[in-house]
Amino acid sequence: MKRQDRYFMEVEGALKSGTENTFERDEAVVNVDMKVIRTTVALLPTADVKLKSSWALSPNFGFAKDRPLRVWRVAELSDGRKFGVLEVNGGSVLFFDEANQFCNKAVNNTKESQVWQTGLLSMEPDGAKFERSLVDDVLKSGSLRIIYLGTSAGAMKFQEVWVQGSRIGKSITRTFDQFAKSIDIAGFKFEIVEVKGDKLKLRYDIASRTEITEVQVGQIALQNKRD
């Protein structure tokens, strides 16, 4: 079993990527809106669909037209075949192949054991099908400000401020050696060109959309959105 969802960070704002820029004390080096997106494979029924089992003790499964069915995992067999794993209400799991055809097995999870229920899953109505697509869900959203606080005692100081709505979620003071050539703040890398008094010249390259790991998602200091 493997998870197949992917994570992306989207950044919107007046970015000055790829150029050298000078900032004064208390000026925002970066001031952007951010979103963390989870992209998931989904099946989309083209009609109201019922998967009927030929075995009387196995449940039937109904799906509404145009309602995406998120598929978190894929099962890879030793012979190279892949099957999507669709978790449905009641603890059942359905498997479908790469042509989006459902297999004739479902598993019912109970507290005591897993019970396999077998039987042909026929589809109603005729001509209905499932189309594969990608669905984006916003996990986190907010704003990030990185403010240059000037230099003192041989150190550069920055304030990293995470904002959601009108609330400051987290504020961290970052301190670096005045002669550092590169620094990392909030996962972004900055190349220091020159530090002179209360003026800072630097360069950065921040993409509008970047793929990140699940670990990095947890490190972004914004609260998860509630459904």
Side-chain angles (χ1 to χ4, degrees):
M1 292 285 188
K2 293 184 178 180
R3 291 190 66 88
Q4 58 179 353
D5 43 349
R6 301 168 65 188
Y7 300 91
F8 297 88
M9 179 177 63
E10 294 185 351
V11 178
E12 295 182 354
L15 292 172
K16 301 176 181 179
S17 294
T19 61
E20 293 184 3
N21 299 280
T22 301
F23 300 92
E24 303 278 353
R25 178 192 289 267
D26 296 331
E27 187 175 356
V29 173
V30 170
N31 186 6
V32 294
D33 295 326
M34 299 179 62
K35 290 181 182 178
V36 176
I37 308 291
R38 179 177 58 198
T39 298
T40 311
V41 174
L43 292 183
L44 197 66
T46 60
D48 290 342
V49 173
K50 179 178 286 187
L51 298 178
K52 298 186 65 176
S53 175
S54 61
W55 186 36
L57 297 181
S58 181
N60 300 323
F61 304 95
F63 304 107
K65 178 183 178 182
D66 294 335
R67 179 175 295 177
L69 307 170
R70 290 165 176 77
V71 183
W72 307 112
R73 296 180 294 163
V74 61
E76 295 188 12
L77 277 60
S78 57
D79 61 8
R81 289 181 297 162
K82 296 181 181 180
F83 292 89
V85 181
L86 180 63
E87 300 175 15
V88 295
N89 293 335
S92 293
V93 178
L94 303 181
F95 297 87
F96 60 93
D97 61 20
E98 294 183 87
N100 302 334
Q101 299 295 316
F102 280 88
C103 307
N104 63 344
K105 290 186 179 180
V107 60
N108 188 271
N109 294 313
T110 67
K111 291 182 179 179
E112 294 79 19
S113 62
Q114 282 190 336
V115 180
W116 286 89
Q117 302 173 330
T118 61
L120 178 64
L121 293 175
S122 59
M123 187 184 300
E124 295 181 355
D126 292 337
K129 61 182 180 179
F130 291 86
E131 296 178 344
R132 196 171 302 212
S133 63
L134 295 176
V135 175
D136 285 347
D137 293 304
V138 179
L139 300 184
K140 297 181 177 183
S141 65
S143 301
L144 169 66
R145 292 195 297 271
I146 299 175
I147 302 169
Y148 176 54
L149 300 179
T151 61
S152 62
M156 292 181 289
K157 291 188 177 182
F158 298 82
Q159 197 72 21
E160 174 187 331
V161 184
W162 296 89
V163 180
Q164 286 183 290
S166 59
R167 184 182 62 85
I168 294 179
K170 197 169 188 178
S171 183
I172 309 166
T173 301
R174 303 291 189 186
T175 303
F176 302 93
D177 182 81
Q178 184 176 347
F179 301 101
K181 298 300 181 184
S182 64
I183 60 175
D184 191 318
I185 305 175
F188 298 124
K189 296 186 182 299
F190 300 88
E191 179 186 347
I192 306 301
V193 179
E194 184 181 51
V195 180
K196 186 177 292 186
D198 287 334
K199 290 188 177 181
L200 168 71
K201 183 183 292 186
L202 56 73
R203 181 190 298 110
Y204 60 76
D205 190 6
I206 299 176
S208 59
R209 182 177 171 95
T210 306
E211 185 166 5
I212 58 178
T213 66
E214 189 172 4
V215 172
Q216 289 173 310
V217 172
Q219 294 171 343
I220 294 175
L222 295 171
Q223 291 186 350
N224 290 336
K225 290 179 67 67
R226 296 179 179 176
D227 296 332

